[in-house]
Amino acid sequence: QVQLVESGPGLVKPSETLSLNCIVSGGSITDTNYYWVWIRQSPGKELEWMGTIAWSGGTYYSPSLKSRISISRDLSKNEFSLQLRSVVPEDTAEYYCARWETETMSAAVAGTVKRTAGDYWGQGTQVTVSS
């Protein structure tokens, strides 16, 4: 089965860049029709779709983060990465990577993050933005 593991620092200073990696096993990030996704959840808030890199390498970002976010991939390592620039304390959250099918991806673009049976999620990693 597909497994995803988030990796990166748990503490980032304001104004700096939050960088996380997602290590994927059991499937290839180039497998057709799958989307490789970053999601986050702050305390008391709903899951927030941040952005996606598709199997083709195409990227899609949440409008609210578009100016600060970048998602890339390393095919040789079967990993994909998140960069969130100019962070503020409100970026403190649990960060997840996931593999989504088209149904979930379409819903996220429309504003709703779903947990569906065909998707795989990492366990999440806490990132705190603080000086």
Side-chain angles (χ1 to χ4, degrees):
Q1 295 296 313
V2 175
Q3 293 183 326
L4 305 95
V5 179
E6 301 89 349
S7 178
L11 181 64
V12 183
K13 296 182 184 299
S15 82
E16 297 188 347
T17 297
L18 184 161
S19 297
L20 296 173
N21 291 332
C22 184
I23 303 166
V24 179
S25 61
S28 172
I29 59 176
T30 63
D31 284 346
T32 303
N33 291 337
Y34 293 118
Y35 299 87
W36 304 91
V37 185
W38 286 101
I39 313 100
R40 68 181 181 180
Q41 186 169 36
S42 298
K45 297 184 178 180
E46 297 297 314
L47 291 164
E48 178 187 12
W49 170 65
M50 301 181 69
T52 296
I53 187 162
W55 71 97
S56 62
T59 53
Y60 309 88
Y61 301 126
S62 167
S64 66
L65 298 173
K66 185 177 181 179
S67 66
R68 298 194 290 139
I69 190 172
S70 181
I71 296 174
S72 58
R73 66 184 185 176
D74 185 337
L75 296 182
S76 70
K77 297 180 179 180
N78 204 39
E79 299 176 353
F80 65 105
S81 301
L82 168 71
Q83 290 190 310
L84 185 65
R85 298 177 291 276
S86 302
V87 297
V88 294
E90 290 74 21
D91 292 315
T92 295
E94 188 85 1
Y95 285 76
Y96 300 88
C97 58
R99 190 194 78 172
W100 283 355
E101 297 177 347
T102 301
E103 177 185 354
T104 313
M105 188 66 247
S106 298
V109 171
T112 301
V113 176
K114 301 166 54 179
R115 287 184 177 268
T116 56
D119 300 331
Y120 292 86
W121 291 61
Q123 82 288 343
T125 188
Q126 176 68 34
V127 180
T128 299
V129 178
S130 177
S131 61

